[in-house]
Amino acid sequence: MHRRAQGLSRFPGRCDWLVGGAVAVGESYEEAAVRELGEERGRVFGVPVRFLFKFLCRGESGTYWLGAHEVVLGRGVFVPDPAEIDWCGWGEERELVAAVGHGGFVGDGGEALRRYPAG
């Protein structure tokens, strides 16, 4: 989980469990996932990115296709960019589900969590 930096134009100071952003022209969803991971969580090389699912998200900032990918990182593998992330921490899945349900989270992340494949 992480808290978005106060200086961001979208959802400043709100929490999320996703990192992401827009796919650039000519860029694949997978390429965008790797780029955004590096921008927000610090440069991470050689980490496999696995596509999970895509859905039409009717989010807080509009309607768009959200492509979810999974990246498994160990603790200490990355250093968040303070311009993007004020705080980040680790927790159990049940803690994440409970935190998302208490507000203060970006709504789009909550929708993606509800769609996240079990197991």
Side-chain angles (χ1 to χ4, degrees):
M1 293 183 277
H2 64 273
R3 184 176 52 247
R4 297 171 55 80
Q6 290 293 336
L8 294 175
S9 62
R10 292 190 178 169
F11 316 117
R14 304 238 330 253
C15 294
D16 208 342
W17 70 289
L18 301 173
V19 296
V23 177
V25 174
E27 187 177 43
S28 72
Y29 275 80
E30 289 74 18
E31 290 167 335
V34 170
R35 177 180 50 75
E36 288 290 345
L37 176 66
E39 287 176 7
E40 296 186 27
R41 293 288 178 125
R43 298 289 173 216
V44 180
F45 298 102
V47 176
V49 174
R50 182 172 70 101
F51 174 79
L52 294 177
F53 59 93
K54 183 168 77 169
F55 70 97
L56 187 61
C57 181
R58 299 185 195 288
E60 295 179 58
S61 61
T63 301
Y64 62 96
W65 286 101
L66 191 152
H69 296 74
E70 181 176 71
V71 177
V72 178
L73 299 174
R75 295 174 191 227
V77 173
F78 56 84
V79 177
D81 179 350
E84 298 275 346
I85 295 174
D86 281 341
W87 168 89
C88 67
W90 296 95
E92 299 292 326
E93 184 177 348
R94 61 180 169 73
E95 294 172 306
L96 173 60
V97 170
V100 168
H102 282 94
F105 264 74
V106 176
D108 302 13
E111 178 64 23
L113 183 60
R114 285 187 286 284
R115 294 171 181 265
Y116 192 79

